[in-house]
Amino acid sequence: MAEIKLLTEHYHKPEFQTLDGYKKNGGYDVLKKAFKMKPKEIIEEVKASGLRGRGGAGFPTGMKWSFLPDNGEPRYLLCNADEGEPGTFKDRLMMERAPHQLIEGMIISAFAVQSKKSYIYIRGEYTKCLSVVRKAIKEAYDAGLLGKNILGSGFDHDMDVYSGAGAYICGEETGMISSLEGKKGQPKLKPPFPAVQGYLAKPTIVNNVETLAAVKYIIRDGAAAYKKIGTEKSAGTKLFSVSGDVNKPGTYEVPLAYPLRDLIANECGGMKGKLKAVIPGGSSAPILNADESNKVNMDYESLAAAGSMLGSGAVIIMNETRCMVDMLNVILHFYHHESCGQCTPCREGTGWLEKIVSSILLGRGRPQDIDLLDTIAQNMKGRTICALSDAAALPTISFVQKFRDEFEFYIREGRSKVTGQPIKRKNIKGSHHVEMHH
Amino acid sequence: MLKCTINGKEVQVKPGSTIIEAYMKAKENIAHYCWHPGLSIAGVCRMCMVEIEGNPRLQIACNTTVAEGMKINNTSVKVKESVEWTLGFHLINHPLDCPICDQAGECGLQEYYMQYGKYEPGMAEHKVTKDKVVDLGSKIVLDKERCILCSRCARFTEEVSKTNEFGIFNRGDHSEIGTVDGMPVENNYALNTVDICPVGALTSKDFRFRQRVWYLKDFDTVCNGCSTGCNIKVYFNENGLYRVKPVYNEKVNGYWMCDVGRDVYKFADRDARQVKGLRNSNNQVSQDFAGKIALEVSQHLNSQKADSMAVVLTGQYTVEEYKDFVSFFKAKGVSQFYHWINNPDKLNDFDGILYRGDNNPNTKGLAKTLADEGIKVKPWNELFENVESSKVKTVVVAGPEIQKFYPDLESVFTRLNKADTLVWLTPGKNDLFEKANYVIPTKSFTEKNGTFVNHAGVEQKIKKGVTVVSEALTLSDASQLFSGKTAVGFESNVSKGHAGATL
Ligand SMILES: Cc1cc2nc3c(=O)[nH]c(=O)nc-3n(C[C@H](O)[C@H](O)[C@H](O)COP(=O)(O)O)c2cc1C
Ligand code: SF4
Ligand code: SF4
Ligand code: SF4
Ligand code: FES
């Protein structure tokens, strides 16, 4: 099996970034086709395609759309282009290379869910995306593809770009909604779910960039054709952002269920060094060791069965030079820093985890710290408003479980089992043991 | 109604009820910090974990609604371990402040620690430190380290007082409660945030360090600070009264009270009180038992003609007292009754939450009693004219309990003191009163039974909880003594047989 180019087919053509170039390659033809369908038919088509959200959770898109209540209230469509998951860079590429593809996918989706207003929430650091997408939206307005009575269909739709300020938590759908509402970017309690009560307390659909772009190809080729790609429960293609110790890191589109070892060998030009471990779905996914990585296929079910997850499709590949204590510390530093601080287990737990691993790196680890890491993580998991707490807990549990020897060695010897030296990095939190007298 | 099972007990709840509400209904314990029935649901403390039969994941009770037939428990090992851990998360960065914390004894952390905690602390790392003793204006002191970030105070100032002073700043374990640049929190409901803070992060300047809470007793009554009549608890011990807090009453004040009302205890406490009766004959002031003074007044009243007497009433006494007092004078043939309204132009003011311009708890009760007795009150200004023209020779005033609400007190007193005889009944002391002919100390709202009728006509019973000035009389006592029906010695009985404690 090789790459199937659906979403990425025209990425290499600079012209694809402009409306004219996009149209030359069939751009907005699918929108015309969609306008000939009934909104409900589009939803049915998306349902039948088996498309699952590409933002991380993998929730069936058509099903999410059908949760919208029929109460006559205005509906919002939000495109999640925050792309905060460490290791993920596929959405950026899509927005830079194929902004109209996203816009077309969004108009079709907006028509399907009968939304008159959408926002693309782009992370603030993505300055290029912001300008490319803004320019494309303007082109679309000028061409009557946005605004009133689009292409004479009778459908009105306005689209806006919103620049986030760069907080991971603003990628979580309700955190994004809070942010859009002008509040502190903090997730909201569910229920109510956004589809029922989202932006400005109105029914709202939040979808990832890749998800919305994929809708176009489902309508173009039909659900059946789309569903033929991948597996029964993991249909379609998926963009993987591959980084780490491979010869050709990058974004690759392959059918779901593509074997990870093939992805490394064929698309990424093979390993640099010897494969040690892979985080297959962004830094919040449990880590796989070399053995597991060699066996697993890149789809929702296979990865779940292997004890990890597909997540955002950020594949982080590590060779034998990587110290797992260090890697975990980097991950925990991130989640500690990004916890919004609302829920106690996450607010306190992320910091605690990072401090413990930092202590280990600084040679102050205690033998009981390994089990403590696991217990803390177990008690952070599944007990908070959003999944950020899990995002810190799951890697911790898996790192400690699969690379326990490295943690034990470091605690015992005060140095890395892999490098033979103590790890020195700037952001290791200086931390001391304080005897507590309680 | 929906049926569900809480820890094995079957209860029925209204559709839409949350599990935590079902726990309240079932009177089963459930740990919680962030949930407060008067605020929106935050779901952040994660203490209210429950297990629902058929659901592998624990759920929070405060944001999960009850479904028909749900079987819920928080007694399983799984739940207990989870709560224990959540408590552990709350404690890892919490300072070891209990000995010097004003909240000790009423602290949610202490309580749950006794219930769920009692384990070895696993945290060997440095705690996150934050600012302590942050001054938030005239009423509140904040300790950021003790805060468990339940967001109750922030939700209160957003949703109830709508003043938005509090916010949570920063992220992760550096999150902290505060106000922008330490901006003061001066709204008239600010002290409710101290009440609802489950830990000692927000403390009341008025109460701080004055008493350990376990030395305090309390009783329920009604605030006499305005015509809303919020339900309150008064806290006291043998040394005096210390604070008041609101008590839930759906019809009157919900969960809250205003900060003006927080001070009512100060006017009932000994320092503010007229303790002895006074008589002033020819500028010779002497003190005596209240009852004795009342009997002397009785003799004086007997010697007066009914049409030379006037009675002045304020809206701070109980319906029962008004009845007895008014009937006594009516029976004497007195027809000049006046209602002293301290702030007529603000009487109908309302801040939209609880506080009303009428600072009397029983204006309605007074009006109603007078009407029931068939008495038409005379226009207020006529009183001064009649005193000045000597048409009125004796004035009997049942004066205000909270003098600060009567800014015209001094001028009214001075003008009425032009009468041949001024009899002043009041709970509060004031040097001014030495100029009256007779002063009779009366009971304050903490010391008597009776009824207040609030602005909306809601009748509320108050019960005596504590006696501060044992010799003080109710207006009913005074009426009885005025009628001369009681033998000498009654005054000492007046202080006996009270329910509740005596200071
Ligand atoms: C902490 C956190 C961060 C997230 N960040 C992103 C993000 O950057 N981009 C994204 O598309 N989804 C992100 N998600 C997932 C979204 O909450 C949501 O599931 C997704 O946008 C839905 O779109 P989809 O159904 O198309 O995947 C994040 C979730 C969590 C818990
Ligand atoms: S889990 Fe963490 S990031 Fe998510 S809402 Fe709670 S505190 Fe915030
Ligand atoms: S100060 Fe008190 S009420 Fe406010 S968030 Fe902290 S603990 Fe909660
Ligand atoms: S609103 Fe009125 S009754 Fe309520 S506490 Fe304040 S003064 Fe007292
Ligand atoms: S009381 Fe339910 S989470 Fe705080």
Side-chain angles (χ1 to χ4, degrees), chain A residues 166-169 184 186 189-191 336-345 347-349 351-352 355-356 359 366 369 372 375-376 379-380 382-385 390 430-434 436-438, chain B residues 41-46 49 57-58 60 62-63 78 81-83 85-86 88-93 96 113 121-128 130 147-150 168-175:
Chain A
Y168 175 66
I169 205 61
K184 187 171 172 183
Q186 261 184 345
L189 265 184
K190 293 187 252 189
H336 176 200
H337 188 254
E338 297 296 327
S339 163
C340 84
Q342 280 191 97
C343 326
T344 306
R347 178 182 68 239
E348 306 296 341
W352 194 0
K355 284 180 190 176
I356 292 174
S359 281
R366 308 170 303 171
D369 282 344
L372 186 58
T375 315
I376 295 170
N379 282 290
M380 289 167 63
R383 300 201 183 148
T384 49
I385 292 179
D390 293 40
S431 182
H432 312 276
H433 283 310
V434 182
M436 302 235 312
H437 306 281
H438 207 113
Chain B
I41 296 166
V44 295
C45 76
R46 301 276 142 178
M49 289 288 175
R57 265 174 68 156
L58 300 182
I60 50 170
C62 62
N63 196 47
K78 196 170 162 193
E81 278 179 7
S82 151
V83 179
W85 260 91
T86 307
F89 285 125
H90 275 106
L91 286 168
I92 60 165
N93 284 314
L96 307 173
Y113 183 77
M123 167 96 160
E125 319 302 324
H126 269 323
K127 284 180 189 271
V128 179
K130 293 174 194 162
C147 169
I148 53 157
L149 297 157
C150 70
I168 291 172
F169 301 90
N170 297 334
R171 296 193 308 194
D173 52 10
H174 290 275
S175 297

Side-chain angles (χ1 to χ4, degrees), chain A residues 52-59 61 64 80-85 90-91 168-174 176 190 206-209 211-212 335 386-388 391:
Chain A
R52 295 171 64 169
R54 304 297 195 226
F59 193 83
T61 307
K64 189 193 278 189
N80 192 340
D82 196 54
E83 191 148 78
E85 181 77 358
K90 63 184 179 75
D91 296 340
Y168 175 66
I169 205 61
C170 292
E172 195 278 340
E173 54 185 354
T174 55
M176 170 167 298
K190 293 187 252 189
V206 184
N207 274 131
N208 176 257
V209 171
T211 314
L212 292 166
Y335 289 110
C386 85
L388 187 140

Side-chain angles (χ1 to χ4, degrees), chain B residues 97-171:
Chain B
D97 264 357
C98 300
I100 54 151
C101 180
D102 229 38
Q103 192 85 357
E106 333 185 279
C107 169
L109 279 180
Q110 283 182 331
E111 277 162 26
Y112 294 143
Y113 183 77
M114 296 314 285
Q115 218 174 317
Y116 295 96
K118 298 189 250 181
Y119 40 76
E120 285 296 301
M123 167 96 160
E125 319 302 324
H126 269 323
K127 284 180 189 271
V128 179
T129 54
K130 293 174 194 162
D131 290 344
K132 298 184 87 74
V133 206
V134 180
D135 190 326
L136 291 185
S138 63
K139 304 181 203 174
I140 295 174
V141 174
L142 164 67
D143 183 313
K144 295 188 177 183
E145 279 191 333
R146 291 181 192 157
C147 169
I148 53 157
L149 297 157
C150 70
S151 82
R152 279 181 174 189
C153 57
R155 280 176 283 146
F156 178 87
T157 52
E158 186 181 335
E159 297 162 13
V160 182
S161 70
K162 301 198 165 67
T163 47
N164 292 300
E165 291 97 337
F166 282 109
I168 291 172
F169 301 90
N170 297 334
R171 296 193 308 194

Side-chain angles (χ1 to χ4, degrees), chain A residues 16-36:
Chain A
F16 209 62
Q17 292 171 30
T18 64
L19 182 60
D20 286 347
Y22 182 66
K23 278 188 164 163
K24 231 184 270 165
N25 292 280
Y28 292 105
D29 288 351
V30 187
L31 180 61
K32 286 176 202 149
K33 178 175 178 191
F35 281 150
K36 293 199 188 101

Side-chain angles (χ1 to χ4, degrees), chain B residues 2 29 36 175 182 222 232 288 300 383 403 406 472 495:
Chain B
L2 294 173
N29 277 332
H36 186 286
S175 297
V222 171
I232 57 172
D288 218 324
H300 169 78
L383 175 62
Q403 293 176 14
Y406 281 70
S495 61

